Amino acid sequence: MSKKIILAVFIFIFVIFFTYNILIKKTFVVGKSDWPAWDLFEYSQPSLNIFSKYNLKFSHFNNYQNIVDSFINNEIDIATITLFEALYISSKIEDQLSIVLLLDYTTGGDAIISQKNIQFLDHLEGKTVGIEKNTVSYFTLLRALKKAGISEDKIFIKEYQLFDLISEFKNKNLDAISLYDPYIYELNKYTNDLNIVFSSKEIPREICDVVILRKKVADEHPMLVKSIQKNWFNLTSKELPFKKLKNSIYKNSDYVDHIRSNIYIANENENKYAFGTKNHPGYLKDTIIKINTILHNDNNITVDENVLINILHIKK
C-alpha cells in the first residue's frame, strides 16, 4: 500500500511540474541559425529550469534572412543576430528594439572570398560579387569596398539565398562572394582555388553578434533578460564546451581551432566594455552609428536617432 501511495504522490508531483513548466510558464521562442556563438548561446540556456519563471524554446533556421523575416513578422520573440541585421530589423518594425547581450565579434569569421585569378581587393572593380540579401554579408562587402576605395556602382552585386550563393561561386558563376563561418571553413576545405581578399580582422569590433528582443518584452520581463545574461556569463567564464554542442562539426578539432582564431567570444567583462553605461557608452554605440550611416548611404534605410539612443539595454 505504501508503495502505491509513494507512486501516486510521485505522479501527482510530476503532473504539477509538467503543467507548470509546459502550460503555465511563459515560453519565449528564440530564432537562431548555425553559428558558433549562437550554438554556444543555445547550450548556455536550460530548456527546462524549475527555478525560472520562463521557458526558452529554440527555433532553428537555415539562414539569417529567415530569422530576420520571422522577427519582423513577430513569429519569434528573441533572436541571435548580427548587429547589422538588428539595425535592419529596427528600421522595419514599429516597436523599439532592445539589444540585451553581446555574444561575439569576428576576427576573420566574415570575409570576401574571390576566385583564384583575383588576388587583391581592388581587383573587384567591374566584377560580379554575390551576397546574401539583407544580412551581414552585405555589410562586409560595403566595408571591403570602402577600404579598397571602390564605389558600389563599380561592381555588379547579385543577391542569393545562402546555399545558392555558395553553389554559384563553386560553379565559377561569381567572381567573389561575401560569406561567413562555418561556410568559409567548409569552402576552404572544398577547394584551394580561391583567395580571401578581405576579412573582419581588418574591422575589429564592427561585425558583432547580439541577442535582441522587443523593448516592451525586455521592460515587462526584466528577470528574463537577467537570466539570459547570467546563463551566458556563467558559460563564458569557463572553458568553452564546443565538443558538447549538437552540431557534429564541433567534433572536428581543426574547425574548433579555426573558430577560436576567427571569432572572439564575449564574456561578462567584454559585455561591460561594449555596452558601457548611460553616461559613458561603450564601443557598441560607435559601431551602431557607423552601421546606421552605411544603411542610410547605401540602402536608403536608417534608424531614427531617438531610437538608436535606447537600443542598447544598459543598466542604470
Side-chain angles (χ1 to χ4, degrees), residues 23 30 36-37 40 63 70 81 103 106 132 138 153 161 196 209-210 221-222 227 232 256 264 273 276 314:
L23 303 179
V30 185
L40 285 170
N63 56 60
S70 293
I81 208 83
L103 298 178
T106 71
E132 187 183 0
Y138 180 51
D153 60 1
Q161 293 293 325
I196 295 178
D209 289 282
V210 295
H221 304 279
S227 174
W232 176 255
V256 172
Y264 182 86
Y273 185 43
I314 300 175

Side-chain angles (χ1 to χ4, degrees), residues 28 104 125 127 155 198 208 224 281:
F28 293 92
D104 71 64
E125 188 166 343
K127 305 298 184 182
I155 65 168
F198 177 84
C208 306
L224 169 67

Side-chain angles (χ1 to χ4, degrees), residues 293-308:
T293 301
I294 289 173
L295 278 168
H296 178 70
N297 292 341
D298 295 275
N299 216 6
N300 202 27
I301 295 172
T302 190
V303 181
D304 185 86
E305 287 187 10
N306 293 324
V307 173
L308 283 181

Side-chain angles (χ1 to χ4, degrees), residues 48-74:
L48 281 178
N49 184 350
I50 61 174
F51 301 108
S52 172
K53 295 181 180 179
Y54 315 100
N55 287 327
L56 294 185
K57 178 183 178 182
F58 283 82
S59 181
H60 298 86
F61 294 86
N62 290 329
N63 56 60
Y64 292 11
Q65 180 62 49
N66 289 345
I67 302 175
V68 170
D69 293 341
S70 293
F71 194 94
I72 289 172
N73 295 329
N74 231 342

Side-chain angles (χ1 to χ4, degrees), residues 1-15:
M1 180 66 71
S2 60
K3 289 183 178 179
K4 290 183 178 179
I5 293 173
I6 293 173
L7 179 60
V9 170
F10 177 80
I11 293 173
F12 176 76
I13 292 173
F14 176 79
V15 169

Side-chain angles (χ1 to χ4, degrees), residues 96-194:
Q96 169 77 56
L97 200 67
S98 216
I99 297 171
V100 300
L101 188 65
L102 172 69
L103 298 178
D104 71 64
Y105 61 83
T106 71
T107 55
D110 297 84
I112 304 297
I113 299 175
S114 67
Q115 303 290 354
K116 197 67 176 179
N117 63 308
I118 300 174
Q119 297 184 356
F120 302 103
L121 187 58
D122 56 2
H123 291 175
L124 288 179
E125 188 166 343
K127 305 298 184 182
T128 302
V129 183
I131 64 169
E132 187 183 0
K133 184 180 179 182
N134 295 334
T135 72
V136 71
S137 169
Y138 180 51
F139 177 73
T140 305
L141 174 60
L142 293 178
R143 293 296 283 116
L145 293 177
K146 184 175 181 180
K147 184 175 187 295
I150 301 173
S151 62
E152 192 177 343
D153 60 1
K154 296 296 184 181
I155 65 168
F156 301 97
I157 300 176
K158 288 190 174 182
E159 296 178 341
Y160 297 90
Q161 293 293 325
L162 175 61
F163 295 109
D164 293 333
L165 175 70
I166 296 169
S167 177
E168 288 294 291
F169 182 80
K170 286 180 177 179
N171 293 330
K172 299 190 184 300
N173 294 326
L174 294 169
D175 297 303
I177 57 174
S178 181
L179 200 59
Y180 44 82
D181 274 315
Y183 308 106
I184 294 173
Y185 176 84
E186 292 174 350
L187 195 56
N188 259 314
K189 292 299 179 183
Y190 172 80
T191 178
N192 290 322
D193 200 22
L194 55 79

Side-chain angles (χ1 to χ4, degrees), residues 6 8 31 62 82 105 127 136 145 155 163 200 212 235 237 242 254 259 262 267 280-281 309:
I6 293 173
N62 290 329
T82 72
Y105 61 83
K127 305 298 184 182
V136 71
L145 293 177
I155 65 168
F163 295 109
S200 51
I212 64 169
L235 179 82
S237 67
F242 282 109
D254 183 54
I259 289 304
N262 291 284
N267 58 18
H280 301 283
I309 291 171

